[in-house]
């Protein structure tokens, strides 16, 4: 299983294009002056598009890249001609190459400043800064999250904030996305990022002549990792409540993978600038259904404390950058482990989870 993982963007990309060129039409999305091209492959020529993207959050891309290389090695060669006349399988490899190379979840905006979470940068109207989405509840946590790193005091302060605000929406607001603090957590940016524009350019080409879209993003971070047993959770996160057609679609498509609807989304999207919501708004029509979700492999050891540790690690990294100009080694290690554990059991279990997803996806699509 370890053969599918890579140590850097160059190695991951080389593995991908070497494998992808054997089974489909390999393409590249290239922008002059941008160091990290995005390769993608189209397998088949059917009008029903099935897209699996990886690496929107760069530090997670090592798992997503590994899962896509496993798909090419173990699944692509077994797809039958009749299946590929109905479906086109598309793998978009490591959207955030800079983040992957630098072991960062976000990407640096060299023009405007800040650390931009690419999954808060889709479908946002940046032409009117005064009309950007507002998230005032995030402000309640900002100073706590970016306070001086202290393993005890800061952890306790964030934990206290969590327990005080877990029911009034302020804790959820931390990860929703915000456009006020360039070095705050889950910052959505001041303009469309190059990586986001490249991603939508790829989707636009894929969707030309499409009759439907099923899109799944590969992610890590949400859910549990049981170190003693070497087990991870695997969840398909649907940004709609249970009764929504997208939730019903994925629940019918997947059995062994937990499908988690979001009941908070009854009145609209929960996350700002989310790719999943952007895809639906951009392409869905009464005649062209769009089903989009994110597949999450768990990395946390403790159900309550893991989100607190993740926020603390992200906040500590920003404190280091703002006050020291660089992230110190311990902070960097903690941040990396939050999203991409070095434990070999986790990495094997993560790919096992991806394999289960791929088996169900292909086998059940055959029946439709």
């Amino acid at each position: 299983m370890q053969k599918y993982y890579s140590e850097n963007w160059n190695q991951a990309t080389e593995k991908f294009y070497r494998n992808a060129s054997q089974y489909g039409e390999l393409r590249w999305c290239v922008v002059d002056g941008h160091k990290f091209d995005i390769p993608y492959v189209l397998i088949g020529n059917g009008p029903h598009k099935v897209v699996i993207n990886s690496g929107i959050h760069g530090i997670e891309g090592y798992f997503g890249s590994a899962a896509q290389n496993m798909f090419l090695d173990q699944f692509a060669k077994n797809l039958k001609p009749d299946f590929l006349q109905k479906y086109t399988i598309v793998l978009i490899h490591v959207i955030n190459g800079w983040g992957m190379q630098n072991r960062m979840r976000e990407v640096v905006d060299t023009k405007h400043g800040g650390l931009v979470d690419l999954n808060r940068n889709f479908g946002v109207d940046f032409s009117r800064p005064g009309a950007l989405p507002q998230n005032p509840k995030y402000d309640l946590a900002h100073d706590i999250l970016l306070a001086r790193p202290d393993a005890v005091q800061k952890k306790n302060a964030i934990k206290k904030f969590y327990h005080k605000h877990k029911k009034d929406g302020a804790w959820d607001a931390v990860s929703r996305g915000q456009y006020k603090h360039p070095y705050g957590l889950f910052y959505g940016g001041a303009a469309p990022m190059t990586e986001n524009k490249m991603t939508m350019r790829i989707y636009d080409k894929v969707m030309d002549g499409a009759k439907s879209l099923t899109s799944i993003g590969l992610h890590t971070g949400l859910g549990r990792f049981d170190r003693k047993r070497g087990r991870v959770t695997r969840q398909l996160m649907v940004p709609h409540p249970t009764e929504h057609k997208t939730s019903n679609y994925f629940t019918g498509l997947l059995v062994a993978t937990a499908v988690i609807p979001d009941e908070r989304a009854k009145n609209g999207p929960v996350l700002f600038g989310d790719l999943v919501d952007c895809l639906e708004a951009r392409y869905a029509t009464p005649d062209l259904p769009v089903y989009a979700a994110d597949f999450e492999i768990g990395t946390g050891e403790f159900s309550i404390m893991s989100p607190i540790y993740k926020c603390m690690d992200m906040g500590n990294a920003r404190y280091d950058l703002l006050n020291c100009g660089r992230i110190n080694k311990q902070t960097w290690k903690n941040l990396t482990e939050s999203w991409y554990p070095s434990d070999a059991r986790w990495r094997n279990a993560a790919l096992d989870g991806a394999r289960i997803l791929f088996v169900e996806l292909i086998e059940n699509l055959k029946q439709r």
Side-chain angles (χ1 to χ4, degrees):
M1 299 291 280
Q2 295 299 317
K3 70 177 182 178
Y4 297 119
Y5 285 99
S6 301
E7 296 300 321
N8 54 59
W9 178 85
N10 286 323
Q11 185 182 91
T13 303
E14 181 180 353
K15 287 182 182 180
F16 180 82
Y17 72 70
R18 185 173 62 244
N19 290 330
S21 59
Q22 298 181 57
Y23 301 110
E25 181 187 348
L26 178 65
R27 297 181 180 179
W28 295 82
C29 189
V30 179
V31 173
D32 289 343
H34 190 71
K35 295 182 179 179
F36 298 95
D37 305 331
I38 302 178
Y40 62 106
V41 63
L42 289 77
I43 306 170
N45 55 11
H48 298 281
K49 314 295 184 175
V50 181
V51 181
I52 300 171
N53 67 70
S54 78
I56 287 178
H57 296 133
I59 203 168
E60 304 171 14
Y62 290 89
F63 158 70
S65 170
Q68 289 180 330
N69 279 303
M70 180 182 70
F71 182 91
L72 291 167
D73 188 41
Q74 298 185 13
F75 291 85
K77 60 186 177 185
N78 296 319
L79 298 174
K80 304 300 182 183
D82 58 339
F83 180 87
L84 296 177
Q85 288 178 359
K86 182 176 182 180
Y87 296 100
T88 300
I89 306 293
V90 184
L91 306 181
I92 304 175
H93 185 256
V94 187
I95 291 168
N96 184 1
W98 184 93
M100 185 184 206
Q101 187 76 347
N102 291 277
R103 296 289 183 95
M104 289 291 291
R105 189 175 186 272
E106 305 81 8
V107 65
V108 173
D109 185 347
T110 56
K111 183 176 181 180
H112 302 94
L115 296 175
V116 178
D117 185 328
L118 296 182
N119 212 33
R120 306 296 184 275
N121 191 257
F122 286 100
V124 177
D125 182 5
F126 289 101
S127 65
R128 296 183 299 149
L132 288 173
Q134 299 297 304
N135 186 5
K137 288 185 176 181
Y138 168 85
D139 293 345
L140 299 174
H142 179 74
D143 290 341
I144 297 173
L145 296 170
L146 268 69
R148 178 186 297 275
D150 184 291
V152 177
Q153 292 184 9
K154 188 168 185 177
K155 179 183 70 175
N156 289 337
I158 297 174
K159 186 177 180 180
K160 182 178 179 180
F161 182 89
Y162 167 81
H163 286 293
K164 181 179 179 180
H165 294 289
K166 64 181 179 179
K167 293 184 179 180
D168 65 11
W171 176 257
D172 286 342
V174 170
S175 60
R176 190 179 188 191
Q178 54 85 21
Y179 301 83
K180 180 178 178 181
H181 306 277
Y183 282 89
L185 273 61
F186 303 99
Y187 177 57
M193 298 300 292
T194 299
E195 293 84 355
N196 294 78
K197 291 187 284 187
M198 294 170 74
T199 301
M200 297 319 302
R201 190 180 305 171
I202 293 171
Y203 270 97
D204 284 346
K205 291 182 178 179
V206 169
M207 292 302 293
D208 185 23
K211 290 186 177 180
S212 72
L213 171 63
T214 299
S215 179
I216 297 176
L218 301 177
H219 289 265
T220 66
L222 295 184
R224 295 288 304 280
F225 168 41
D226 187 334
R227 288 183 183 270
K228 291 183 179 179
R229 300 179 182 178
R231 296 178 181 175
V232 298
T233 56
R234 55 182 188 276
Q235 309 170 84
L236 192 82
M237 312 301 292
V238 180
H240 294 289
T242 301
E243 65 273 12
H244 194 274
K245 63 179 182 179
T246 300
S247 302
N248 291 329
Y249 172 79
F250 282 115
T251 300
L253 196 65
L254 305 175
V255 177
T257 298
V259 176
I260 311 297
D262 193 338
E263 307 303 336
R264 301 171 300 170
K266 289 183 178 180
N267 298 317
V270 171
L271 296 183
F272 298 137
D274 179 35
L275 174 59
V276 167
D277 293 320
C278 177
L279 293 173
E280 294 183 8
R282 192 178 185 95
Y283 303 118
T285 70
D287 298 321
L288 199 164
V290 172
Y291 307 108
D294 286 328
F295 179 68
E296 289 275 358
I297 291 291
T299 61
E301 294 186 68
F302 313 104
S303 56
I304 293 177
M305 289 305 297
S306 291
I308 292 171
Y309 283 130
K310 284 182 172 62
C311 287
M312 184 170 68
D313 294 335
M314 295 169 72
N316 287 351
R318 284 153 177 76
Y319 178 93
D320 287 350
L321 287 173
L322 286 169
N323 293 278
C324 308
R326 61 182 179 83
I327 302 174
N328 74 52
K329 291 183 179 180
Q330 187 59 51
T331 301
W332 183 86
K333 180 180 179 181
N334 294 342
L335 182 65
T336 300
E337 290 290 323
S338 290
W339 304 100
Y340 181 64
S342 57
D343 192 302
R345 292 170 299 176
W346 179 87
R347 296 187 182 182
N348 286 334
L351 286 187
D352 283 338
R355 181 187 291 108
I356 292 170
L357 172 72
F358 295 151
V359 168
E360 283 199 290
L361 185 65
I362 298 300
E363 291 303 314
N364 289 326
L365 283 175
K366 290 178 181 178
Q367 310 303 319
R368 291 177 177 263

